[in-house]
Amino acid sequence: MLKIGLTGNIGSGKTTVAKVFELLGIPVFYADDEAKKVMVTDEILINSIKQTFGAGSYFDDGTLNRKYIAGIVFNNEAELQKLNAIVHPATFRAFDNWLQQIKHAPYVIKEAALMFESASYKMCDRTLLVSAPLENRMARVMQRDNVSRAEVEKREARQFTEEKKRQLADDIIVNNDWQLVIPQVLELHTLYLSLAKN
Ligand code: ATP
């Protein structure tokens, strides 16, 4: 099964683009949402989180104590990396399981914000970057999440620059204020269908 890795910096429109592919019948795995789910469903992961960060990581009813975890990893790069290092393999397992359920799709898309930063793009056959000017991205996220410019800048600073991602990506969709996205998606859909046949 052809696997397309879809990524882009904060506010670029990854999810918006992914929804268009879904409308075309292409299954999309939202890796960042799944990463949150596996933290309460994957027993191997739950055990390693408890071992690494302490039993207080979970409440007695099995739900994740997000405040506790956030208190440890917030502004602490080393702890955040530790958490990512144990969550990523569980997300990969979830992706593999998901993939096994897909029977009739020509190709699939895996959407993840930090696909290049985490090197997980190497597990996809091809990568697609959604690119948008910084000003557009800032304005969209400030409006969507009701956060300050400084907050968006902080999140942006944790990601590779768009320039670097452009060099790594196989395909690019430009999602600025004036270029239409749907024709770009349709063109790539045609390409991916032909690649999937070969
Ligand atoms: P994040 O990395 O923060 O999750 P994302 O890359 O998935 O973001 P989206 O959530 O798809 O981005 O888009 C960010 C916001 O911008 C959303 O509110 C979306 O509706 C809006 N948006 C996306 N594309 C456009 C566009 N071309 N014009 C105006 N608004 C847009």
Side-chain angles (χ1 to χ4, degrees):
M1 177 79 72
L2 180 70
K3 297 186 276 291
I4 308 294
L6 171 64
T7 191
N9 274 25
I10 182 163
S12 57
K14 294 177 290 298
T15 308
T16 307
V17 166
K19 298 284 175 205
V20 182
F21 278 102
E22 279 197 279
L23 287 173
L24 295 170
I26 301 305
V28 178
F29 181 85
Y30 293 92
D32 301 328
D33 295 341
E34 288 298 325
K36 285 181 194 142
K37 282 188 206 157
V38 291
M39 288 174 85
V40 288
T41 55
D42 186 305
E43 288 301 331
I44 303 170
L45 174 61
I46 292 169
N47 285 334
S48 35
I49 289 178
K50 284 181 185 166
Q51 266 171 20
T52 311
F53 300 109
S57 307
Y58 289 85
F59 293 111
D60 289 343
D61 65 0
T63 54
L64 185 69
N65 188 340
R66 291 188 189 276
K67 262 197 184 157
Y68 174 89
I69 298 278
I72 296 172
V73 302
F74 188 70
N75 281 342
N76 189 327
E77 196 54 36
E79 294 298 320
L80 182 62
Q81 273 185 20
K82 253 194 237 172
L83 180 64
N84 283 338
I86 51 181
V87 174
H88 279 150
T91 315
F92 294 147
R93 284 196 289 278
F95 180 61
D96 284 342
N97 289 337
W98 177 84
L99 213 46
Q100 279 169 26
Q101 319 293 318
I102 309 282
K103 298 280 181 256
H104 300 296
Y107 66 93
V108 297
I109 289 184
K110 181 178 184 182
E111 192 242 45
L114 301 179
M115 185 162 277
F116 288 121
E117 292 84 345
S118 69
S120 64
Y121 73 97
K122 290 180 182 162
M123 291 172 164
C124 291
D125 301 299
R126 206 172 167 91
T127 53
L128 167 56
L129 176 73
V130 182
S131 169
L134 182 64
E135 274 315 310
N136 287 162
R137 297 193 286 105
M138 290 280 172
R140 289 173 193 165
V141 177
M142 284 163 67
Q143 191 178 17
R144 184 194 61 189
D145 299 349
N146 195 22
V147 289
S148 67
R149 189 180 179 87
E151 172 59 30
V152 188
E153 278 170 355
K154 207 164 79 185
R155 294 193 215 164
E156 167 80 6
R158 289 194 208 113
Q159 310 190 332
F160 284 178
T161 60
E162 263 212 8
E163 199 174 67
K164 183 164 184 174
K165 288 184 184 179
R166 279 177 164 269
Q167 287 164 11
L168 292 165
D170 294 302
D171 305 309
I172 296 178
I173 284 182
V174 178
N175 181 29
N176 55 21
D177 269 352
W178 56 277
Q179 272 166 285
L180 296 175
V181 162
I182 291 176
Q184 299 179 69
V185 171
L186 291 176
E187 193 176 320
L188 286 173
H189 180 60
T190 306
L191 170 68
Y192 298 154
L193 288 177
S194 74
L195 290 175
K197 270 194 201 139
N198 299 327

